[in-house]
Amino acid sequence: MMSNDEKDSLQFMDLPTELLLQILGQLSYKDILRCRQSCKHLDTITRTDANILYKIQLGLNGLQDGPSTSLKVHDRLRILAEYQAGWDDLRFGPMRIVAMSTHGVWELVRNVLAQRNRNSLVFVQLPSAVRGIDERLWTLDSIQRDIRDFAMDPTQNLLCILETSQTEVHIHLRTLNAGDAHPLASNARISYVQEISYWSYSIRICSGYLAILFPASPVSNLCVWNWTSGRLHLEISGQILAYSFLTDHHIVLIRRHSAAELLVIDLRSVSPKGTPVDEVDYICSFRFPALKPDATVDYGEIRSDPPFSFSTEHGPATPFHLASGERLFAVFMRGSDSSSVYGSPMFLIPLDSLLPHFYRIPNLAPKLQVEWDKWGPKGTRAIPVSLRHSPVWIRNVYGMRFVDLVTETGGDPYVFVADFNQAAFRKASMNEEYVTGARTMKLVYEDSTLGWPSQMFADPVTTSLPYRWGKVHLPRNYESDNVDYDGAMVSEDAIVVVDCSQFDKTKYCILSICSALDIQHIVIHQD
């Protein structure tokens, strides 16, 4: 006699194939894959349905469906395959060199490259032949401000311009496409008192939050505003070295301290304004290995892009884009004692290595200490870097990819590309071409141990997070146009290598992902 569960199973499997596919289409891609493993019939029908295949491939590659367009699902599936093959094989072209006058800071956010040009801003929307994004160039000449620094969020059509005086910083909230006052900002200018003006500031935008680290010695201020209302939401003072948005309401920061750690602060339950960083009510601390005796962390960087929450309302209509939450953090620290300066590896940390320790955990005790052995060895990968700080290191992470410019003595420079998407790694590990090393991207399974006398940690550091990596070789010159590379950045569709060796201009060498049908060539553009 059949059990009730067996009867329910038979009733479900007796449904028409079309209805089964509609039901399965409401599941996550992980649940669909589990269904495949549980039933041969479900495995068969989901391998031939374009909607199911598209959903699975989006999930495996850390992407999500884009805004509604005229593209049918078969076309989206084909474009997705071309896009992912471009990154898997590091296939680039057409290539452009965009030269801009050298007058200071620049930004690369999503697919928009921008640079200050005296009192104006020059923008380039990077093209994507695969995803159907056209190149667009525009300039905002009507700002009429002394631009000290700026930040932007193309998905919110938001441009934040910093103007400084002897005693104040004025933050102007404009539209990115026209430079007008932003319609969502109740006050188009936010002012903040500071005693010293600096060349640049660390500015981050995440949904409705605008955060700025005002650097100073010995005390810095980290401020977070609700940019739509203009209300100052958080102000922390102290020896704050670096910060980033972790989620849409969590900030992670590095402070000068005798322990190497990441502090996580919940913006929904923050301490009073003006709180010293050593007294802030953080919810969680992720500890790194112990430092050498008497050593102190005195420098830090945290890089991650794009923000945890972003919309596609103002961006170009694309068939798909990076999924929210697919984020990698590049963390670099340096230490010192009374007589020496110590280096450190670069730690590459997926968001998923951090969230399970504190996110959505009821009754979480404040100031939870998560020791290195609980999260670090398996949840991170440490790679060696030099002590030099590249001026373009600011955007060397996008989604789960990390890039770094490598120049070896006697050889041509190349861009090191690492992909930490774990679902894509597992898929690649079942592909014989990857396992045998026949593909452009190589698989790294093995643990790695880094330790050298000048490292700031007391003992060698072992990490084991799997990843894929490859090289993009760069020529020394393009015919008569010599190029000296200073650093590499990455966006959703391109790698941008920067040459700032010339006094009067900065060159941006743009390598965009292409399909197998594209032919590499070079176009020189002068603004």
Side-chain angles (χ1 to χ4, degrees), residues 16-306:
T17 299
E18 293 79 7
L19 188 53
L20 284 174
L21 290 172
Q22 288 185 27
I23 295 172
L24 293 170
Q26 302 304 310
L27 302 178
S28 69
Y29 87 94
K30 292 182 179 180
D31 287 335
I32 295 174
L33 293 178
R34 293 188 186 102
C35 289
R36 278 185 172 182
Q37 295 174 337
S38 68
C39 174
K40 184 176 181 180
H41 179 58
L42 295 181
D43 179 60
T44 300
I45 64 174
T46 55
R47 289 184 182 277
T48 56
D49 182 78
N51 288 289
I52 296 293
L53 292 174
Y54 181 56
K55 188 165 193 173
I56 291 173
Q57 290 305 312
L58 285 174
L60 289 174
N61 293 297
L63 303 168
Q64 66 187 58
D65 199 18
S68 177
T69 68
S70 59
L71 287 175
K72 296 182 178 180
V73 66
H74 288 88
D75 295 322
R76 293 181 183 231
L77 191 57
R78 173 184 53 79
I79 293 170
L80 173 57
E82 291 179 356
Y83 175 81
Q84 199 52 45
W87 277 113
D88 288 346
D89 296 330
L90 298 180
R91 189 168 56 219
F92 298 95
M95 179 178 171
R96 292 181 62 83
I97 297 180
V98 176
M100 298 186 187
S101 299
T102 301
H103 288 287
V105 293
W106 62 79
E107 274 279 9
L108 175 63
V109 180
R110 295 182 70 81
N111 266 2
V112 178
L113 173 68
Q115 181 179 293
R116 182 183 68 187
N117 186 359
R118 294 188 176 91
N119 290 337
S120 65
L121 290 169
V122 181
F123 301 88
V124 180
Q125 179 176 278
L126 305 185
S128 172
V130 177
R131 290 201 303 148
I133 301 174
D134 295 329
E135 182 180 81
R136 185 165 72 94
L137 290 85
W138 74 101
T139 302
L140 297 182
D141 291 317
S142 58
I143 296 173
Q144 301 297 319
R145 300 291 176 188
D146 180 13
I147 304 171
R148 179 54 56 94
D149 207 340
F150 70 96
M152 58 184 176
D153 183 353
T155 67
Q156 299 188 85
N157 193 25
L158 176 62
L159 172 66
C160 298
I161 298 171
L162 266 64
E163 178 188 19
T164 61
S165 67
Q166 291 294 327
T167 59
E168 284 188 311
V169 171
H170 302 295
I171 307 159
H172 301 274
L173 304 172
R174 304 296 188 91
T175 58
L176 184 62
N177 60 355
D180 303 323
H182 200 287
L184 297 183
S186 58
N187 189 340
R189 189 181 82 168
I190 299 172
S191 297
Y192 182 76
V193 176
Q194 70 158 10
E195 296 181 358
I196 303 174
S197 177
Y198 293 88
W199 179 74
S200 66
Y201 299 80
S202 179
I203 312 169
R204 303 280 188 274
I205 301 169
C206 182
S207 189
Y209 288 118
L210 166 66
I212 303 178
L213 178 61
F214 297 90
S217 180
V219 177
S220 300
N221 286 338
L222 174 60
C223 298
V224 181
W225 286 269
N226 181 316
W227 66 266
T228 58
S229 67
R231 183 175 68 89
L232 181 60
H233 191 78
L234 172 69
E235 184 180 25
I236 303 174
S237 62
Q239 296 183 327
I240 304 168
L241 303 176
Y243 78 99
S244 178
F245 281 99
L246 189 64
T247 72
D248 53 359
H249 50 261
H250 290 98
I251 275 183
V252 60
L253 62 84
I254 301 172
R255 59 178 169 169
R256 182 182 177 91
H257 200 260
S258 58
E261 61 184 354
L262 298 174
L263 298 185
V264 179
I265 299 171
D266 191 336
L267 293 173
R268 299 167 298 181
S269 56
V270 293
S271 303
K273 298 171 186 175
T275 303
V277 66
D278 294 333
E279 300 175 14
V280 70
D281 291 328
Y282 62 87
I283 64 170
C284 185
S285 167
F286 290 93
R287 294 296 185 97
F288 288 84
L291 302 181
K292 291 180 182 294
D294 301 323
T296 298
V297 176
D298 64 3
Y299 179 85
E301 293 280 1
I302 307 174
R303 299 299 179 190
S304 183
D305 196 50

